[in-house]
Amino acid sequence: MSFSNTGEMASPTSVYNNRTEELKAFDDTKAGVKGLVDAGIVSIPKIFVLPPEELAEEPNSCQKNIEAPIIDLNNIEEGSRRKEIVDDVRIASEKWGFFLVINHGIPLSVLDEMIDGVRMFNEQDVEVKKEVYSRDTRKKVRFNTNYDLYKSRAADWRDTLTISLLAVDLDPELLPVVCRKSTLEYVKHIRKLGDTLFELLSEALGLQADYLGSMECAKEGTLVCHYYPACPQPKLTLGVSRHADPGFLTLLIQNEISGLQVLHEDQWFDVHPIQGGLVVNIGDLLQIVSNERFKSVEHRVIANHVGPRISAPCFFAGPLSMPEKTYSPIQELTSEANPPRYKEIPLREYVARFYSSSLDDEKSPLDYYKP
Ligand code: OGA
Ligand code: NI
């Protein structure tokens, strides 16, 4: 315990209170990280600075000689080609929990317009964005900085527009005007690609092609649009803290600025954008139902001197509108020798657990369901 030079005791509580006030003051601006950058700051506010033990970690310790798996979906309906693709998907999902897909059928113009829409939303008059600024998770469309702002150890350097667009009852009129058309078009395609990937993943698990689809893995989900402004001190913070995605599967597009890294064999590995390529992540729920045949991949986004980096992950997380839905390891994938590694998981409780924790928590929601 130490005393400050004013003679007051510096307790952890006073430090904590201070931080909470700073977080609140920042949150109340409703202008996000971009608001700080537009105001011309040259050093980042304390609330974004990582704790010393995390700063000590070398941010770019990537192994250069391994290639991230890239899977070409061309001619996917041809029998022998499909078998090769299913094998590629199996290997990537078992070894990395992550891969890139190319020739997936979504036109480049749809991807470019989606990214442009996110840019235009973030770069429009701040007063318009403020109208959507909210932390109320019941709102199907909401803009904020860090859903876990008040819970994490350090805030991440990004602003986010969250859209529960795959929800059955979303009214398109709720979408911001500047990105409404581009988002609706993108979602139409991403749902279709999601269905295709769930078929490939089912086959890769040795199941009928419609198995995961009939478990309603792809029925609902959330489209999250991230905007990472250029950061004046990128070594002091992160764009997204280390985490694994909680849902079944994530499909992500990104603009030309790098930053995403995946953890593979204990090394951070850069996922550089490739034109027209989409990133696919296995999430915790797929790890659970596959009884750990497939691994959910840990990843993060580093901050950058240049920007903005823009990305839009679409999280397929199961039918949240069905209150009683539960998931557990698929029976066909368990046996006496390979018993279920997770208990039955009520989907709503699991998702509530995710929202009440932070990305940088030591414990992930999944840890609560080990037998
Ligand atoms: C996420 C995430 C990565 C990115 O939102 O869960 O990992 O590239 N995003 O934005
Ligand atoms: Ni993620």
Side-chain angles (χ1 to χ4, degrees):
M1 183 136 337
S2 66
F3 292 89
S4 70
N5 52 15
T6 59
E8 281 169 35
M9 216 188 305
S11 71
T13 325
S14 69
V15 173
Y16 178 75
N17 284 341
N18 221 337
R19 179 177 168 79
T20 309
E21 277 163 29
E22 282 175 40
L23 288 169
K24 175 108 183 46
F26 166 72
D27 204 17
D28 285 347
T29 68
K30 301 187 176 185
V33 174
K34 184 171 189 300
L36 298 172
V37 174
D38 289 347
I41 54 141
V42 289
S43 54
I44 67 171
K46 258 198 334 261
I47 52 169
F48 291 93
V49 177
L50 288 162
E53 63 278 11
E54 284 175 52
L55 282 173
E57 217 190 289
E58 172 56 46
N60 238 331
S61 54
C62 298
Q63 207 162 307
K64 298 278 187 307
N65 56 351
I66 319 179
E67 292 289 322
I70 299 179
I71 301 183
D72 185 344
L73 299 185
N74 213 5
N75 295 329
I76 193 173
E77 298 305 337
E78 270 175 27
S80 61
R81 182 68 200 117
R82 189 175 183 92
K83 195 174 166 309
E84 283 168 11
I85 294 172
V86 168
D87 282 344
D88 290 347
V89 167
R90 174 173 40 247
I91 293 165
S93 305
E94 286 175 356
K95 295 212 160 103
W96 288 73
F98 151 86
F99 52 95
L100 289 145
V101 284
I102 54 169
N103 295 321
H104 41 64
I106 307 184
L108 212 50
S109 59
V110 172
L111 303 181
D112 288 346
E113 278 162 33
M114 177 64 202
I115 294 284
D116 272 354
V118 178
R119 184 195 309 277
M120 287 191 292
F121 171 80
N122 283 278
E123 295 177 2
Q124 69 187 325
D125 186 341
V126 67
E127 295 306 319
V128 183
K129 284 196 292 184
K130 284 183 185 176
E131 285 166 25
V132 207
Y133 197 94
S134 172
R135 298 197 172 278
D136 183 348
T137 53
R138 289 166 305 180
K139 290 215 160 116
K140 300 223 179 320
V141 177
R142 55 189 190 275
F143 170 64
N144 61 38
T145 296
N146 297 199
Y147 80 92
D148 58 353
L149 186 70
Y150 292 97
K151 296 177 194 113
S152 60
R153 289 191 295 278
D156 288 337
W157 196 257
R158 69 168 194 286
D159 298 328
T160 303
L161 175 70
T162 302
I163 305 170
S164 303
L165 194 62
L166 310 184
V168 247
D169 56 347
L170 182 86
D171 172 5
E173 297 287 311
L174 290 174
L175 289 170
V177 180
V178 279
C179 57
R180 186 177 298 161
K181 195 162 158 274
S182 54
T183 305
L184 288 171
E185 187 61 21
Y186 178 69
V187 164
K188 215 167 65 191
H189 285 90
I190 205 72
R191 293 185 91 137
K192 197 158 157 250
L193 182 58
D195 288 341
T196 302
L197 283 162
F198 277 114
E199 283 178 14
L200 294 172
L201 289 159
S202 302
E203 290 174 50
L205 287 167
L207 303 164
Q208 291 290 331
D210 66 352
Y211 200 104
L212 292 168
S214 65
M215 287 169 71
E216 290 160 315
C217 302
K219 199 168 173 204
E220 293 174 40
T222 308
L223 181 64
V224 168
C225 309
H226 295 309
Y227 185 92
Y228 304 82
C231 179
Q233 295 175 296
K235 294 237 177 312
L236 297 185
T237 189
L238 283 169
V240 179
S241 307
R242 172 181 176 162
H243 68 285
D245 294 344
F248 286 96
L249 194 68
T250 306
L251 305 189
L252 173 146
I253 51 165
Q254 50 182 338
N255 72 345
E256 68 290 351
I257 298 191
S258 300
L260 177 62
Q261 296 184 325
V262 296
L263 195 65
H264 179 66
E265 294 177 353
D266 282 332
Q267 298 264 343
W268 286 111
F269 189 91
D270 287 320
V271 184
H272 293 300
I274 51 173
Q275 202 190 27
L278 267 110
V279 173
V280 182
N281 288 348
I282 304 292
D284 286 343
L285 282 173
L286 192 47
Q287 173 167 316
I288 290 164
V289 299
S290 73
N291 207 28
E292 293 188 354
R293 275 273 290 281
F294 291 167
K295 303 284 184 312
S296 67
V297 68
E298 287 200 87
H299 54 282
R300 67 178 183 181
V301 176
I302 55 171
N304 201 324
H305 266 301
V306 291
R309 175 173 189 269
I310 293 172
S311 72
C314 183
F315 301 106
F316 293 96
L320 284 169
S321 57
M322 292 168 68
E324 308 302 333
K325 191 75 189 172
T326 61
Y327 285 106
S328 39
I330 293 169
Q331 235 171 22
E332 288 88 327
L333 305 178
T334 64
S335 63
E336 224 166 291
N338 180 25
R341 295 173 194 214
Y342 297 92
K343 296 186 276 199
E344 186 172 65
I345 298 180
L347 183 62
R348 278 224 176 147
E349 177 196 287
Y350 171 80
V351 172
R353 229 180 248 290
F354 173 78
Y355 277 115
S356 65
S357 62
S358 80
L359 279 188
D360 62 13
D361 268 359
E362 296 291 313
K363 214 166 163 172
S364 100
L366 168 145
D367 291 331
Y368 292 88
Y369 301 99
K370 300 211 162 129

